[in-house]
Amino acid sequence: MPAPVVEVFRTTVARRAAASLLRQLHRHFPAWRITFDLADADRILRVQTTGGPVDSSRVAQVLHARGYCCEPLPD
């Protein structure tokens, strides 16, 4: 079994929008585990895959299309 790949993003997501954005992200990436940590100062979006790399640009596009900033945090 391949090792999980985790990508962490800094976002501007507000608490009230998180549930809706999670639904949108799961529509685009149904096999990925996606969570928000909005208590963190960077309003973290964490994406985990089990079968390959995270497409960071596509994740950012989904959020940008809904008016939010999203950028990968450096390792």
Side-chain angles (χ1 to χ4, degrees):
M1 176 178 230
V5 176
V6 177
E7 185 79 40
V8 180
F9 299 85
R10 173 185 298 128
T11 75
T12 59
V13 172
R15 186 170 303 277
R16 67 183 181 279
S20 173
L21 287 170
L22 279 174
R23 284 191 297 275
Q24 291 296 317
L25 289 164
H26 281 292
R27 280 190 201 128
H28 289 273
F29 314 106
W32 295 1
R33 182 170 182 236
I34 304 169
T35 60
F36 280 104
D37 178 1
L38 300 179
D40 186 281
D42 287 325
R43 299 180 184 176
I44 296 296
L45 169 63
R46 186 171 286 107
V47 177
Q48 179 179 331
T49 70
T50 56
V54 173
D55 187 341
S56 299
S57 62
R58 283 189 59 211
V59 171
Q61 285 176 338
V62 171
L63 268 69
H64 289 165
R66 284 148 187 86
Y68 297 97
C69 294
C70 175
E71 63 181 356
L73 288 175
D75 291 337

